[in-house]
Amino acid sequence: MAAKQKTSDLQQIGINIRRIRTEQGISRAQLAYEIATSEKQLSRIELGEVNSGIQTYIKIARVLNTTLTELSYKVKF
């Protein structure tokens, strides 16, 4: 029986970013442009493959008109 894989904190933040972005009807390309990064880099953020600096998360929160708390929802500190 396979063990259930735990979602990492970075993956959870990425899931939250993707959820909020899609709920608002914002494309990955549009968000990437607004935060001055590549679409590929944003994809890696949403997949939890990279740990971006706090400034990137602040930019994402501003563009999505949300808070860092909402981006980190379900992340245990």
Side-chain angles (χ1 to χ4, degrees), residues 1-8 11-12 15 74:
M1 183 175 211
K4 184 177 178 184
Q5 186 175 4
K6 184 180 177 203
T7 303
S8 74
Q11 288 170 324
Q12 186 60 58
I15 289 166
K74 292 187 178 182

Side-chain angles (χ1 to χ4, degrees), residues 45 50 65:
I45 292 169
V50 295
N65 195 30

